[in-house]
Amino acid sequence: MSEQRHSAAPDDHLWQSVSLLHAWLEADQPHGGREGLLLRLLKLQEEVGEVAQAVIGVTGQNPRKGVTHTWDDVGSELCDVVVTALVALRTLTPDARAVFTAHLAGVTARSLGPGRG
């Protein structure tokens, strides 16, 4: 097989999945417009709360429950946060990929470029 067949950018599958998830959510949402956008953004907070719950569970910080999660659970919840954020960004703009790529480049340059700190 030639290299040409496998030369798609690794993030192509990511953004295709984000688009499919966005379309699926848009097709079956009880609230649209601004309200739908705001509720989608609130979903992100719910997912972040699940990260916190998993961290508490992995460290056994709730004496009534003890250890209830693993670090793999924490990683899974973090992935849910990322997916939810990317779908929310796609809801905000059809150019989510370009917006995210430009933002990531700016954060990278600011964080790792000369004059940092």
Side-chain angles (χ1 to χ4, degrees):
M1 293 191 156
S2 73
E3 285 295 313
Q4 201 78 347
R5 291 182 188 170
H6 298 289
S7 64
D11 66 341
D12 284 348
H13 296 291
L14 169 78
W15 290 104
Q16 181 181 20
S17 294
V18 168
S19 291
L20 290 170
L21 290 167
H22 174 261
W24 170 67
L25 288 170
E26 289 295 305
D28 192 26
Q29 67 173 339
H31 304 280
R34 184 180 176 125
E35 184 179 17
L37 172 62
L38 295 175
L39 290 169
R40 189 140 319 145
L41 294 173
L42 286 176
K43 178 67 174 167
L44 183 57
Q45 182 61 42
E46 177 190 15
E47 296 297 343
V48 171
E50 290 176 11
V51 171
Q53 181 180 20
V55 170
I56 289 168
V58 80
T59 58
Q61 289 302 301
N62 184 336
R64 187 174 48 83
K65 293 182 180 180
V67 174
T68 59
H69 291 74
T70 67
W71 285 110
D72 286 342
D73 295 328
V74 175
S76 180
E77 295 300 344
L78 285 169
C79 288
D80 286 348
V81 169
V82 172
V83 170
T84 302
L86 291 176
V87 172
L89 181 60
R90 171 57 189 87
T91 302
L92 192 62
T93 176
D95 294 329
R97 183 180 189 162
V99 168
F100 181 76
T101 300
H103 187 79
L104 180 60
V107 168
T108 302
R110 195 170 56 246
S111 300
L112 303 178
R116 67 176 198 253

